[in-house]
Amino acid sequence: MRILKGAEVSARIKEQVREELEKLQVKRPGFVPKLAIVRVGENPDDVSYERGAIKKMENFGLRAQSYTFPKDISNEEFKAGFKAINEDPDVAGILLLKPLPKQIQEKEIDCMMKPEKDLDGISPVNMAKIFMGDDTGFAPCTAEAVVEVLKANEIPIAGKRVTIVGRSLIVGKPLSMLMMKENGTVTVCHTKTLDLPGTCRQAEILVAAAGKARMLDEAYVGQDAVVIDVGIHVDEDGKLCGDVDFASIEQKASAATPVPGGVGTVTTAVLAKHLVRAGIRWAE
């Protein structure tokens, strides 16, 4: 089985970002796009992701700054703080870490977000653009990372049977649109899907975005299928794992992404790609 490592894909995107940044700085000498990472509370997963994202932006030659709010902040106070970030001309792009605490109205914040700064595709405008196939919008970084992994490894999508396990707004739904744009024949599965293993076995490309550790084993994978694991979990031994039981599929899958070291690595690279695109639009 071929292991599809994210580091190689990330390096390819880094080169693209470098080239775009050079073009941008011809128009605006010295200008470096800035990412605002907005976090509410001290969730360890959010803190870890934020730290990794800041490191990645700096490694790609971009700027990033964390904006942290207390977990018990009121909805109105957070809206005021978010508005200031949203309207800051020094901020080219925003990454809002979710989920937000219950007292904050997420939908209100999503609607407030300026589409041109919405790097993770959560605003209604960007969501609509994804469904319309409009390239001027930003797709969720994880969903786009899946497509980047396949393309970088020269795995064709056109004409292939693609099955996505999961229907979230972050991965499943937008990814189905991106896959159809690449001319894949897409099936979206979920908890109510009858004979889920049988449906998954029909896939030539299987994307696991179920949100359950090691849920998909060899019973879900057809012979020689390509398996993309979007999940990230910590198992009972404290080790990272995905939605796929990686060891059990090695004799069936032709290729698969590992966890860690797979799609997650590419997701932050896509974020950097979106940031430089937002910076170019800002400069224009």
Side-chain angles (χ1 to χ4, degrees), residues 7 31 50 120 179 215 221 263 268:
F31 174 67
E50 174 189 288
D120 206 22
M179 289 293 200
M215 174 182 162
V221 179
V263 174
T268 47

Side-chain angles (χ1 to χ4, degrees), residues 36-199:
I37 303 177
V38 181
R39 171 167 55 85
V40 182
E42 300 295 329
N43 181 289
D45 290 342
D46 288 348
V47 173
S48 176
Y49 186 82
E50 174 189 288
R51 190 181 300 120
I54 290 174
K55 185 177 179 181
K56 179 78 78 173
M57 295 310 114
E58 292 174 348
N59 184 253
F60 276 45
L62 303 168
R63 292 188 294 153
Q65 181 178 340
S66 173
Y67 294 79
T68 308
F69 296 86
K71 186 177 180 180
D72 59 355
I73 190 171
S74 71
N75 186 56
E76 292 306 313
E77 287 176 318
F78 180 71
K79 282 174 66 177
F82 185 80
K83 181 181 179 182
I85 298 167
N86 202 28
E87 295 181 353
D88 185 347
D90 189 44
V91 172
I94 298 172
L95 176 65
L96 176 62
L97 299 182
K98 291 187 175 185
L100 298 173
K102 292 181 179 179
Q103 75 273 15
I104 297 176
Q105 301 299 313
E106 278 195 12
K107 289 184 179 179
E108 290 184 8
I109 305 302
D110 292 349
C111 291
M112 283 177 63
M113 178 94 74
K114 290 186 175 183
E116 63 271 22
K117 294 188 178 187
D118 170 30
L119 303 190
D120 206 22
I122 63 173
S123 69
V125 171
N126 278 328
M127 285 186 182
K129 286 184 175 184
I130 296 162
F131 279 76
M132 293 168 62
D134 185 341
D135 289 333
T136 64
F138 291 114
C141 295
T142 302
E144 190 171 320
V146 172
V147 178
E148 290 280 1
V149 168
L150 294 170
K151 287 186 173 181
N153 287 282
E154 299 183 343
I155 295 170
I157 301 171
K160 299 294 184 179
R161 296 187 301 275
V162 180
T163 298
I164 303 167
V165 183
R167 53 179 169 177
S168 72
L169 285 173
I170 299 171
V171 183
K173 289 179 180 177
L175 179 56
S176 69
M177 296 296 107
L178 295 180
M179 289 293 200
M180 280 193 279
K181 188 177 179 183
E182 297 295 331
N183 297 311
T185 301
V186 180
T187 299
V188 178
C189 297
H190 44 77
T191 54
K192 303 298 182 183
T193 299
L194 298 178
D195 188 17
L196 180 58
T199 302

